[in-house]
Amino acid sequence: MTPPNAPSEPPGPLAGTLDSTAQLMNRITTQLGSQLCHVALNGIRRPDPPPTLVVAAHGSRDPRTLDTVRSLLNRVRELRPSLPLRLGHIELNEPLLSETLADLAPGRAVLVPLLLGRGYHVKHDLPAAAADAPHLDTRVATPLGPHPLLVEALYARLVEAGWPARELLGTDLRRNGGVVLAAAGSRDPDGLADTRRTAEELAERLGVPVLAAYASAAAPTVPTALRALAARGRHRVAVASYFTAPGYFAAQAAAAAPWIAAAPLGAHAAVARLLLRRYDEAVTTFGTAAATGTAAAATGTAAAPAAPQLASA
């Protein structure tokens, strides 16, 4: 028996070697475990998780707007259930975009503007929001419009309101009909050009003239466009609602309609498909732009043009 107060025997060379070996093995085990989390059982590296799709909506004081956006996001989830999907608002509604981005774990994200053309928000606000979230590798996607899927949704909304399908379009409506494409408006000439392009594509689809008009910030107004069509002998005129959701501007435009007024784009299936298409386009840029780093990505290097201020006040 060793006396209770006897000094312990100092470790020999073998004990020190064993301690060093144990530390080394622990380090190897930790590193190996970290690597194995990326490798499937058959030795193939697991794919990285997909970037989070962050839908960047404008925001509105009208409660119907938020309900509509949530319905649209539910459609997106139905189309791609495994995709991480979040919502952020530029203003007026919670969660704000800055809060949504701050809450995301470090990783990749794609901001898809729920906006219909180029303008201040995507050119300035969304890149700034991405830059304020340096823990994320972020891309700002192209705004929704112009795109044929938006024309598909606009056409469907007009038919729902009572516009005849093209194959049923009578001679009288071909001769006397027309459409005003009512949009929110923008001070950015690129945004106005995008709306005019959508009007041209809708005119090709309908077979009647379509004039772009704006609720604010640009001309012509909806009443002015209606008068312009009447001056051309087009007295059977519908108003197409080029808004993402109900709100003050959409209601104001509909009230001016001399005949039928279509509902806003809302949660139409074509809009949900277009959101995913814009997301997929932006995702492809992560590999090609990796060398530029997060800061360059956050400034929109991979993004296409930006979107107009399509707020429903």
Side-chain angles (χ1 to χ4, degrees):
M1 294 287 294
T2 303
N5 297 327
S8 60
E9 182 180 354
L14 181 57
T17 302
L18 289 176
D19 288 343
S20 299
T21 302
Q23 293 172 359
L24 178 61
M25 291 303 297
N26 285 337
R27 187 179 307 167
I28 292 173
T29 301
T30 301
Q31 293 177 350
L32 182 59
S34 176
Q35 294 299 319
L36 284 176
C37 71
H38 298 290
V39 179
L41 292 177
N42 59 4
I44 300 175
R45 182 181 175 86
R46 293 176 182 172
D48 292 331
T52 299
L53 165 55
V54 179
V55 175
H58 186 281
S60 171
R61 295 182 180 88
D62 191 316
R64 296 173 299 167
T65 300
L66 183 55
D67 290 342
T68 301
V69 172
R70 286 172 173 162
S71 296
L72 177 62
L73 266 60
N74 287 336
R75 275 192 177 271
V76 173
R77 290 187 180 99
E78 291 170 0
L79 292 171
R80 201 169 298 180
S82 62
L83 181 65
L85 176 62
R86 300 287 297 273
L87 171 64
H89 295 91
I90 297 170
E91 61 183 12
L92 299 176
N93 290 123
E94 294 183 348
L96 291 174
L97 180 58
S98 57
E99 297 168 348
T100 296
L101 295 178
D103 287 343
L104 290 177
R108 299 180 298 165
V110 173
L111 306 186
V112 179
L114 189 57
L115 302 165
L116 301 174
R118 292 169 289 177
Y120 187 85
H121 288 315
V122 178
K123 290 181 177 179
H124 300 279
D125 289 342
L126 298 191
D132 287 339
H135 64 294
L136 298 173
D137 184 7
T138 307
R139 300 291 184 274
V140 178
T142 305
L144 298 185
H147 195 278
L149 283 170
L150 288 179
V151 175
E152 177 183 331
L154 287 166
Y155 176 78
R157 294 300 190 215
L158 282 167
V159 171
E160 290 171 0
W163 186 273
R166 179 157 182 165
E167 60 272 15
L168 302 177
L169 196 65
T171 303
D172 180 67
L173 197 55
R174 291 180 186 276
R175 182 182 301 115
N176 301 316
V179 170
V180 170
L181 181 67
S186 173
R187 293 182 177 85
D188 191 308
D190 291 334
L192 301 180
D194 290 340
T195 303
R196 289 194 297 269
R197 180 177 167 189
T198 299
E200 293 167 359
E201 293 176 355
L202 184 60
E204 293 177 5
R205 178 70 180 268
L206 295 173
V208 299
V210 176
L211 293 185
Y214 308 97
S216 68
T221 64
V222 172
T224 300
L226 289 169
R227 290 193 293 270
L229 285 171
R232 295 164 57 179
R234 302 281 173 169
H235 301 284
R236 191 91 163 147
V237 179
V239 172
S241 187
Y242 199 42
F243 302 95
T244 56
Y248 175 77
F249 287 156
Q252 184 183 56
W259 178 33
I260 61 173
L265 296 164
H268 193 278
V271 181
R273 297 200 305 272
L274 182 54
L275 272 171
L276 286 172
R277 182 166 298 190
R278 294 306 194 204
Y279 167 83
D280 290 337
E281 292 168 353
V283 166
T284 63
T285 68
F286 277 104
T288 58
T292 65
T294 302
T299 60
T301 54
Q309 302 177 40
L310 295 180
S312 299

